[in-house]
Amino acid sequence: MKKILIITPTIFEAEPIFSELGSKEKLKVGDTIECDSIVGIVSGIGCNASAERIKNAIEKHSPDIIILAGFCGACDKHLKNGDLVYETSSPALNELAKKLCGASGKIACVEKIADTTKKMELGESGFVGVEMELDFFKNSINSSNADFIHLRWISDSLDSDIPPDFFESTMNKQTGELNLSVLRLIKSLITSPSLVIKLARFGSEIAPAKKKYAQSTKDLIKILKETFKKNTKKIKKDIDIIAEK
């Protein structure tokens, strides 16, 4: 029976997946859930602590398939918020992504949140999306010999005027957690009044993306569970045949 590990960097990204797997608890970074042959983990954003969590999870569960799922910035002007882009070398996982209406393409990994200029540069180099985690997890994933697919839903289009410095300030690169305090928000708004407009605009842009992400990840879990049931029935049938002999 194949085991599947689904990695989600943030609580925000993990919530709909954990919910579909049966979780009703308030999540925190490092949490895991197991349902049938599917294991979910909230890894944390790209940092060494998150990398260690993934290394330990892979060693513990020995997955046959690893899925890294979350949001990313668009490097292609044709991509809209909520669109799914993916990267995989597995024919079977390629078909899975197609069922989710995903577009295949290269996804870049960078150290800091990419603004429009950086996203345009990456787009000119052939990338369709940009995120901040895979480079930290790559060694453990490659060492596992598991089939791998990278799924990313667009949270900010190429021309989205996101405030990178503000979002960077919420990231704890020691623990992998996101820490958005009211005090930090007030200080940021005092030093940069235009941040209010940018955050409001980003909030309106990510709302439909969040909705599409929730539905797509729900469909993803449904497909994976159906596959598990089919495999279980086949194994049971094979056992029955052997028993009859």
Side-chain angles (χ1 to χ4, degrees):
M1 188 66 62
K2 288 193 173 183
K3 179 159 282 190
I4 303 164
L5 176 65
I6 303 179
I7 303 167
T8 44
T10 68
I11 294 170
F12 180 74
E13 293 160 318
E15 283 175 337
I17 292 175
F18 272 58
S19 177
E20 284 302 310
L21 292 176
S23 174
K24 296 180 181 178
E25 303 295 325
K26 184 176 180 180
L27 299 180
K28 62 182 183 299
V29 170
D31 278 353
T32 61
I33 187 171
E34 189 163 0
C35 177
D36 296 328
S37 63
I38 305 170
V39 177
I41 181 170
V42 189
S43 63
I45 61 172
C47 68
N48 292 332
S50 299
E52 188 66 19
R53 291 186 191 101
I54 296 309
K55 177 177 178 291
N56 292 337
I58 290 174
E59 290 177 350
K60 178 180 179 180
H61 298 287
S62 300
D64 302 288
I65 295 171
I66 298 175
I67 299 172
L68 173 56
F71 287 108
C72 75
C75 301
D76 184 323
K77 65 180 181 180
H78 300 294
L79 292 170
K80 306 301 180 184
N81 291 0
D83 287 350
L84 169 62
V85 295
Y86 71 93
E87 189 170 3
T88 185
S89 60
S90 165
L93 295 179
N94 186 64
E95 290 303 312
L96 169 65
K98 285 183 178 180
K99 289 181 180 180
L100 298 172
C101 300
S104 178
K106 294 195 302 178
I107 302 171
C109 185
V110 296
E111 294 181 358
K112 293 184 177 182
I113 293 176
D115 58 13
T116 298
T117 300
K118 181 63 177 178
K119 289 190 288 186
M120 288 179 67
E121 291 176 359
L122 291 169
E124 291 171 357
S125 297
F127 293 97
V128 297
V130 55
E131 51 84 38
M132 300 174 63
E133 280 80 37
L134 183 56
D135 281 356
F136 285 92
F137 307 153
K138 192 178 294 183
N139 287 341
S140 294
I141 291 172
N142 290 342
S143 298
S144 72
N145 292 318
D147 288 334
F148 173 68
I149 186 167
H150 195 180
L151 300 172
R152 290 284 177 168
W153 285 260
I154 302 299
S155 59
D156 48 290
S157 59
L158 181 61
D159 57 357
S160 291
D161 187 22
I162 62 171
D165 291 342
F166 171 74
F167 286 120
E168 284 283 345
S169 71
T170 69
M171 297 179 175
N172 187 325
K173 296 294 182 70
Q174 299 300 314
T175 66
E177 298 172 302
L178 294 179
N179 301 316
L180 178 56
S181 67
V182 175
L183 182 59
R184 177 181 287 129
L185 178 59
I186 292 174
K187 287 182 177 180
S188 297
L189 293 175
I190 291 174
T191 56
S192 180
S194 63
L195 183 61
V196 176
I197 298 174
K198 291 183 177 181
L199 288 177
R201 186 181 297 124
F202 179 71
S204 65
E205 289 176 350
I206 201 171
K210 182 181 178 182
K211 185 176 180 180
K212 287 184 179 180
Y213 176 79
Q215 183 58 55
S216 288
T217 50
K218 181 178 181 179
D219 292 341
L220 170 64
I221 299 302
K222 182 179 179 180
I223 292 170
L224 295 176
K225 283 185 175 181
E226 287 176 351
T227 301
F228 171 78
K229 288 179 181 178
K230 288 178 182 178
N231 289 339
T232 301
K233 287 180 180 179
K234 184 178 184 303
I235 290 172
K236 186 178 184 303
K237 184 178 179 181
D238 290 342
I239 291 173
D240 290 341
I241 292 172
I242 293 172
E244 288 176 1
K245 291 180 179 180

